[in-house]
Amino acid sequence: MGAAASQKGSDTMSGETRIVPVILSGGAGTRLWPASREAHPKQFLPLLGDRSTFEDTLARVSDRSVFAEPMVVTGEDFRFLVADQLTRAGVAGRIVLEPMRRDSGPAIAVAAELLRQRDPDAVMLVLAADHLVTDPQAFTATAAAGLDAAQAGALVTFGIRPTQPATGYGYIRPGATMDGRVNMVAAFVEKPDAETATRFVAEGYLWNSGNFLFRADVFLGELKRFEPEIAAAAAKVATAIARDEAGGISFERIDRELFAASPAKSVDYAVMERTDRAAVIAADYAWSDLGSWNALWEISPKDADGNAARGAVSLIGARNVFVASEEVHTAVIGLEDIVVVATKDAVLVARRDVAGDLKTLVGDLRADETTRRLADEHRKVLRPWGSYEGVDRGTRFQVKRIVVKPGARLSLQKHFHRSEHWVVVTGTATVEIDGVEKLVRENESVYIPLGAWHRLTNHGRIDLELIEVQSGSYLGEDDIVRSQDDYKRV
């Protein structure tokens, strides 16, 4: 393959050099609407258990004898979600912020340049934050088994042994054996029809998982061969990274103008399907990209009738259905092969085999001003300081439930079109109004006049919960002027 193995390869497992996980977590996850939305997409949701798929991914690469601390590449809007879930998982890592989506190719290129700055021989493991792997130990063993080939200059992709002739995945045809479990890639194949998929499974093809293991410098060399504009933009971005801190959390910000100069292209089209260094290792664990509600049904525990249910659900005479209910009680009677997903403000009912059309639906919702919020936000909206949730709304009023985390505070702000009443339900609030502070305790209230500078702080050790009643001629979230903000949103 024309590349010498790194001298650090033999020390990787002993701790001198370890594989660096690069977790891509900037996607929107529209195919799992209404649970997944632009402001809080599927990788940050607990779809199957108590942890999100992002947290599961962090746990999967937690063996520090094999993996170094991860680098997370995400969008600006997700930075505090990522930081919060890193903290909850007890994991330290680098958070790199994309100013816009440019597909996986440019994101991986920037990550490779940043890793190469610190270690010219860095080996990176590129992972999607929204995939499911059922056997973390087998995953670790697969990464370790592919390491020698990656050190020697191969761009190793993880191929999954098919459990069925799926038409929703791309396939890989393995070629000549390289090293142990690793084969050269004979061909990448696009998503097939059912008949072709059946033949692929019989002939030993593998699903393309989109997870990759390679040396950063080798990947960048191949990228320069095939996509010099992406490579050049990544090199410039890496030298101009801005290191920032907000809310006590450190971020590395990618320059918008430099990143925008990069063509938007997936890593498959940019490099993997064109290089002669592509290799594949067959993975011996169950895997799913959770790309549809049908995929979630396939890997969920089921009853004797093939039904998978999550939340408050009643089923009578139903077969092969997936039902998820966030808060309301949902009943399904006498139906087969459908998906029902009920959230606080939207309900999806669809045949399982057409649930992939959700991308079109979400686009239609976003195009209509009256339904745009349903595409982008949940009723409960997370903020770095806590959350707020709409409770009721009328022509000139709105009621919200606000929760502020211990030690957190909102920005110093004012509104031009509304006044507010705050009623404390739990905890003690420190409220500042036009420079004057006062304590507001449980079952007490405070009035914030229109145009007054105000701020809310929770100095306590428990969540501060309050009810906010807004009244005025305009109640949009954009009626806000910030003067000071711990999270640099001024």
Side-chain angles (χ1 to χ4, degrees):
M1 299 182 60
S6 165
Q7 293 300 309
K8 291 188 178 181
S10 61
D11 295 324
T12 300
M13 308 317 269
S14 64
E16 208 171 298
T17 301
R18 293 169 293 172
I19 299 169
V20 183
V22 174
I23 304 173
L24 306 181
S25 57
T30 55
R31 288 178 294 177
L32 289 186
W33 185 90
S36 175
R37 305 191 195 181
E38 179 71 30
H40 198 160
K42 68 173 182 174
Q43 61 267 29
F44 303 117
L45 298 174
L47 294 172
L48 288 167
D50 296 329
R51 298 189 307 198
S52 69
T53 57
F54 174 60
E55 290 173 296
D56 281 340
T57 304
L58 294 173
R60 200 180 313 141
V61 293
S62 61
D63 184 344
R64 290 292 171 258
S65 68
V66 180
F67 303 109
E69 292 178 348
M71 171 186 287
V72 182
V73 183
T74 191
E76 175 81 17
D77 292 340
F78 303 148
R79 64 194 188 281
F80 293 109
L81 274 173
V82 166
D84 186 57
Q85 295 197 5
L86 279 169
T87 300
R88 196 159 63 208
V91 174
R94 299 172 70 178
I95 304 175
V96 179
L97 303 180
E98 293 179 295
M100 65 193 75
R101 294 187 179 114
R102 304 299 287 166
D103 218 321
S104 59
I108 295 170
V110 172
E113 285 284 4
L114 291 173
L115 293 179
R116 189 168 66 166
Q117 285 179 352
R118 294 191 178 184
D119 179 4
D121 299 321
V123 176
M124 56 194 293
L125 174 62
V126 180
L127 303 171
D130 56 358
H131 289 188
L132 173 74
V133 171
T134 59
D135 189 340
Q137 289 74 32
F139 173 86
T140 299
T142 300
L147 181 60
D148 285 344
Q151 289 276 3
L155 305 181
V156 182
T157 184
F158 289 18
I160 309 298
R161 299 188 195 278
T163 57
Q164 59 178 317
T167 58
Y169 300 139
Y171 283 72
I172 298 171
R173 177 160 61 89
T177 301
M178 263 189 65
D179 177 15
R181 290 171 53 187
V182 182
N183 291 70
M184 297 300 297
V185 170
F188 288 96
V189 185
E190 294 295 327
K191 298 174 183 178
D193 58 28
E195 182 180 350
T196 305
T198 300
R199 177 170 61 82
F200 283 172
V201 173
E203 294 177 359
Y205 284 56
L206 304 169
W207 288 338
N208 185 359
S209 72
N211 298 161
F212 307 101
L213 180 69
F214 41 65
R215 276 181 15 208
D217 62 336
V218 174
F219 171 76
L220 291 169
E222 294 298 276
L223 185 67
K224 190 173 182 180
R225 281 179 61 197
F226 300 114
E227 294 289 343
E229 288 184 78
I230 297 178
K236 290 178 181 178
V237 163
T239 60
I241 284 288
R243 288 167 176 83
D244 194 9
E245 184 173 308
I249 302 161
S250 297
F251 305 102
E252 298 176 58
R253 295 181 184 272
I254 293 173
D255 181 88
R256 173 175 288 273
E257 184 177 346
L258 294 178
F259 197 56
S262 176
K265 188 168 288 190
S266 74
V267 68
D268 299 274
Y269 292 143
V271 174
M272 296 305 297
E273 295 182 7
R274 300 158 76 180
T275 181
D276 58 359
R277 293 176 175 268
V280 61
I281 182 167
D284 293 313
Y285 49 77
W287 164 89
S288 174
D289 69 352
L290 300 181
S292 68
W293 287 114
N294 188 58
L296 203 59
W297 171 79
E298 288 176 344
I299 52 86
S300 295
K302 302 177 185 66
D303 65 18
D305 293 316
N307 301 313
R310 182 176 174 86
V313 174
S314 293
L315 301 172
I316 299 176
R319 292 178 60 84
N320 300 323
V321 303
F322 179 91
V323 186
S325 187
E326 182 178 339
E327 192 167 274
V328 298
H329 196 101
T330 301
V332 176
I333 301 176
L335 297 177
E336 299 183 3
D337 301 316
I338 65 163
V339 169
V340 180
V341 182
T343 67
K344 293 179 179 180
D345 58 355
V347 178
L348 168 72
V349 181
R351 291 205 324 263
R352 283 195 293 106
D353 60 350
V354 298
D357 294 338
L358 280 171
K359 193 170 185 179
T360 301
L361 171 64
V362 172
D364 292 343
L365 292 173
R366 187 169 288 123
D368 187 336
E369 186 175 344
T370 64
T371 56
R372 186 171 301 147
R373 185 192 61 80
L374 292 174
D376 294 337
E377 290 187 343
H378 296 84
R379 180 178 290 179
K380 180 178 180 180
V381 179
L382 299 184
R383 288 289 183 258
W385 44 261
S387 66
Y388 68 84
E389 181 176 352
V391 176
D392 195 8
R393 186 182 183 108
T395 304
R396 290 181 56 89
F397 77 92
Q398 182 171 220
V399 181
K400 292 182 177 179
R401 174 177 177 262
I402 296 176
V403 177
V404 184
K405 295 184 288 190
R409 65 177 179 173
L410 281 64
S411 61
L412 182 61
Q413 58 186 257
K414 68 177 180 179
H415 313 291
F416 291 115
H417 302 285
R418 70 174 185 255
S419 60
E420 296 172 343
H421 280 87
W422 291 343
V423 180
V424 175
V425 177
T426 303
T428 300
T430 301
V431 179
E432 176 186 343
I433 303 175
D434 285 334
V436 178
E437 282 194 356
K438 66 178 297 185
L439 291 180
V440 184
R441 298 173 179 84
E442 292 182 10
N443 207 32
E444 296 178 348
S445 65
V446 64
Y447 171 66
I448 298 96
L450 183 151
W453 287 104
H454 60 282
R455 170 175 255 167
L456 175 66
T457 304
N458 180 9
H459 289 300
R461 297 183 179 180
I462 62 173
D463 285 347
L464 167 65
E465 182 179 344
L466 56 90
I467 299 299
E468 175 183 84
V469 181
Q470 303 175 356
S471 59
S473 58
Y474 178 72
L475 304 174
E477 288 301 316
D478 54 347
D479 177 23
I480 183 170
V481 177
R482 294 185 175 97
S483 173
Q484 300 172 14
D485 184 49
D486 294 343
Y487 310 102
K488 300 190 175 180
R489 297 170 296 168
V490 176

